[in-house]
Amino acid sequence: MPFGLVDCNNFFVSCERVFRPDLATKPVVVLSNNDGCVVSRSNEAKQMGIPMGMPFFRLREFDVEKRVTPFSSNYTLYADMSHRVMQLLASEVGDIIPYSIDESFFAVDSFANFSHDRAVQLSAKILKCTGIPVSVGVAPTMTLAKVACRYAKKVKGYHGACLIDNDTKRQKAIQHIDIGDVWGIGRRSLPRLKAMGIVTAADYAQLEELQVKRQFGINGIRTWQELNGISVVKAEDHDAKQSICTSRSFAEMVTTEEQLLTHVSNFAAQCALKLRQQQSVAQSVMVFVSSNRFRDDMEQYANAATVMLDVAASNTPEIVRAANAAMHSIYKKGVSYKKAGVVLSSISPNHAVQTSIFDTASEQRSRNDRLMAVIDKINSKNGRDAVHLASQQPDDAQPAKETPIFNNNLRREHMSRCFTTNFNDIIDVHV
DNA sequence: TCTGGGGTCCTAGGACCC
DNA sequence: TCTGGGGTCCTAGGACCC
């Protein structure tokens, strides 16, 4: 059964442009947290030679800064726009298999029921109803659907859709695509492939299976089969995540243990919330810290520590306490910290909690769980951290800082508004 | 001055067992 | 000279993705 793929073009930039139509043909970039790196580029920005992942401050060195409109990342907006696109897609094609914030696969009964015209119409409807331009690829395997989508995006004459619906087209499609641009082939494999004389996806598809297995392992084989038209990549649901991570780089270096504990408490609380939202519990709480790896002139330090809970939990106080203990065990005085994070793992559904025979706090735990349910309800109505632990010291409790805008030690100088999710940010129309 | 964040899966190697 | 063999489970690190 063939697979379809809908991929939003330059997604974050496209989201910003929906509310800034004046930028429709201008070079636009969206930056990562802290306004650090370029993570989304309009076609115009790509044509200027701005690479993905380039540090924002380098734009200045390239002297293109003045011609480019930058945005700080506005994940609330992107998540909501993504939701709209996915909902519309589902209403058009039935069951969808969301893959990332800007991509979703879907099953296609047969090519007889899904013409190129139909794919073009789908793309046009999504643009019309959400404002987001998308590309549509349809092919016998997920990897080939990715290839098709790439052609849909690159070749003007295809009108945003490409079908690889017979073997002649498949052969031709893989001959004209670099092996490095294939889904599943990463940077680390490229030198080895080059040494073997493999340049295109077709070169790779023609290798002996045994050789592929030896050189590139089971994942290499999967990609090889998929390029040859044999569907092996499974469309599995990963609804419940197996690890949950919250981490940030700091706009300003952090030196005291107290400051670090505050940040780690916030990260841990955020993780615990994500955990409860997917109705799971975690047993392992890991904390990591690191100095600024770009500063050769400063002491380098990176470390991590894990605390195992006796009984898997999802309530904020317990997760925060564990994270703080882990933090305390790795804090080193005299280091300037640039980044820290909390990772929860050993995650299971919360109806299958394995209690410990040494667990003497089960009553306290169930009290905590009830308390969290109430707090979550309050916070979902009144804003994240409306109720919080004293150790968190969330955004609005921070001392006000001078410009540039700092929010919990995060730089966001080019932030757009939450046009679609916050009443105070709804766009004004002046007639 | 300024360099992102959040995931999944596989593999190799160690610990342990009989 | 020559130091079992086979299995499981766990974990850290690597590779990949967007």
Side-chain angles (χ1 to χ4, degrees):
Chain A
M1 215 163 60
F3 287 97
L5 172 64
V6 164
D7 191 334
C8 301
N9 302 343
N10 314 331
F11 182 57
F12 295 172
V13 163
S14 296
C15 290
E16 299 291 351
R17 276 177 166 172
V18 169
F19 302 93
R20 288 290 306 274
D22 57 305
L23 297 175
T25 59
K26 305 254 166 62
V28 178
V29 298
V30 173
L31 307 171
S32 60
N33 266 337
N34 268 321
D35 295 347
C37 296
V38 171
V39 293
S40 180
R41 305 159 294 158
S42 69
N43 291 344
E44 298 76 16
K46 289 177 189 172
Q47 275 153 24
M48 289 168 75
I50 300 171
M52 186 70 166
M54 172 181 260
F56 182 41
F57 68 87
R58 288 228 194 285
L59 291 188
R60 223 161 299 161
E61 297 168 15
F62 268 71
D63 203 33
V64 294
E65 187 201 11
K66 287 186 216 78
R67 291 186 282 144
V68 178
T69 305
F71 285 93
S72 303
S73 39
N74 183 345
Y75 289 108
T76 312
L77 176 65
Y78 310 150
D80 186 61
M81 294 304 287
S82 170
H83 186 65
R84 293 174 183 214
V85 170
M86 300 302 175
Q87 271 204 319
L88 178 58
L89 176 62
S91 75
E92 289 289 314
V93 303
D95 285 346
I96 62 171
I97 309 149
Y99 177 68
S100 72
I101 192 164
D102 71 334
E103 278 175 72
S104 183
F105 288 100
F106 56 94
V108 171
D109 298 346
S110 75
F111 285 109
N113 295 331
F114 207 94
S115 63
H116 181 262
D117 281 352
R118 167 85 177 96
V120 172
Q121 281 163 17
L122 179 63
S123 153
K125 178 149 193 187
I126 294 174
L127 176 62
K128 184 180 170 194
C129 298
T130 66
I132 302 293
V134 303
S135 303
V136 181
V138 188
T141 70
M142 290 176 126
T143 305
L144 288 169
K146 285 278 225 178
V147 171
C149 218
R150 203 183 161 79
Y151 282 106
K153 202 168 293 189
K154 299 248 147 136
V155 184
K156 273 265 183 297
Y158 289 173
H159 302 291
C162 173
L163 273 64
I164 300 177
D165 52 4
N166 63 50
D167 207 56
T168 314
K169 284 194 195 170
R170 182 187 66 81
Q171 302 260 15
K172 217 173 142 190
I174 63 175
Q175 270 164 29
H176 293 96
I177 194 157
D178 284 352
I179 183 62
D181 292 331
V182 171
W183 194 39
I185 305 291
R187 313 218 109 195
R188 308 303 288 260
S189 303
L190 279 183
R192 258 183 304 156
L193 287 159
K194 192 157 276 179
M196 294 164 69
I198 308 299
V199 179
T200 67
D203 294 340
Y204 186 77
Q206 277 159 20
L207 286 172
E208 291 289 324
E209 183 166 0
L210 262 178
Q211 193 183 5
V212 175
K213 173 84 173 83
R214 227 176 323 157
Q215 296 272 336
F216 305 102
I218 189 161
N219 290 316
I221 286 286
R222 278 192 196 135
T223 301
W224 180 84
Q225 289 176 308
E226 290 249 321
L227 286 173
N228 280 309
I230 304 157
S231 177
V232 288
V233 176
K234 298 254 171 59
E236 284 173 69
D237 283 339
H238 288 121
D239 277 1
K241 304 202 180 310
Q242 296 174 33
S243 71
I244 287 174
C245 170
T246 303
S247 74
R248 293 284 178 280
S249 292
F250 306 128
E252 290 182 339
M253 298 278 205
V254 169
T255 52
T256 69
E257 182 174 7
E258 238 185 331
Q259 285 174 297
L260 268 184
L261 283 173
T262 301
H263 286 297
V264 164
S265 297
N266 275 324
F267 300 157
Q270 189 57 32
C271 281
L273 176 62
K274 292 181 196 170
L275 193 60
R276 292 194 294 276
Q277 283 170 345
Q278 70 162 40
Q279 274 138 73
S280 300
V281 289
Q283 192 157 19
S284 160
V285 181
M286 193 264 270
V287 172
F288 65 88
V289 294
S290 69
S291 54
N292 188 340
R293 67 186 203 279
F294 297 101
R295 292 288 295 268
D296 305 333
D297 55 323
M298 301 179 78
E299 181 183 357
Q300 291 294 313
Y301 176 68
N303 208 346
T306 303
V307 167
M308 294 299 288
L309 303 176
D310 291 337
V311 177
S314 66
N315 70 79
T316 300
E318 217 167 327
I319 305 274
V320 168
R321 202 177 310 126
N324 284 346
M327 173 74 247
H328 181 71
S329 74
I330 52 175
Y331 175 74
K332 188 174 164 194
K333 222 176 156 176
V335 173
S336 293
Y337 294 88
K338 178 64 180 172
K339 184 174 181 175
V342 173
V343 183
L344 304 183
S345 51
S346 299
I347 289 175
S348 48
N350 60 7
H351 52 75
V353 181
Q354 175 71 55
T355 56
S356 156
I357 53 167
F358 303 113
D359 184 19
T360 53
S362 68
E363 193 174 326
Q364 175 66 37
R365 183 162 297 110
S366 79
R367 280 224 307 265
N368 267 339
D369 289 343
R370 291 200 301 276
L371 177 63
M372 290 320 299
V374 173
I375 290 177
D376 287 345
K377 208 174 239 176
I378 294 173
N379 285 349
S380 79
K381 214 179 267 176
N382 298 282
R384 170 148 84 88
D385 296 326
V387 178
H388 58 87
L389 296 183
S391 64
Q392 286 178 245
Q393 197 188 354
D395 300 5
D396 57 7
Q398 301 257 339
K401 295 213 175 156
E402 306 298 312
T403 53
I405 305 160
F406 283 103
N407 212 329
N408 240 341
N409 202 355
L410 202 59
R411 184 182 290 113
R412 294 149 141 190
E413 290 181 53
H414 309 279
M415 190 74 168
S416 56
R417 293 181 289 157
C418 293
F419 303 103
T420 63
T421 54
N422 190 326
F423 267 105
N424 300 318
D425 285 350
I426 286 178
I427 211 157
D428 294 329
V429 179
H430 301 276
V431 185

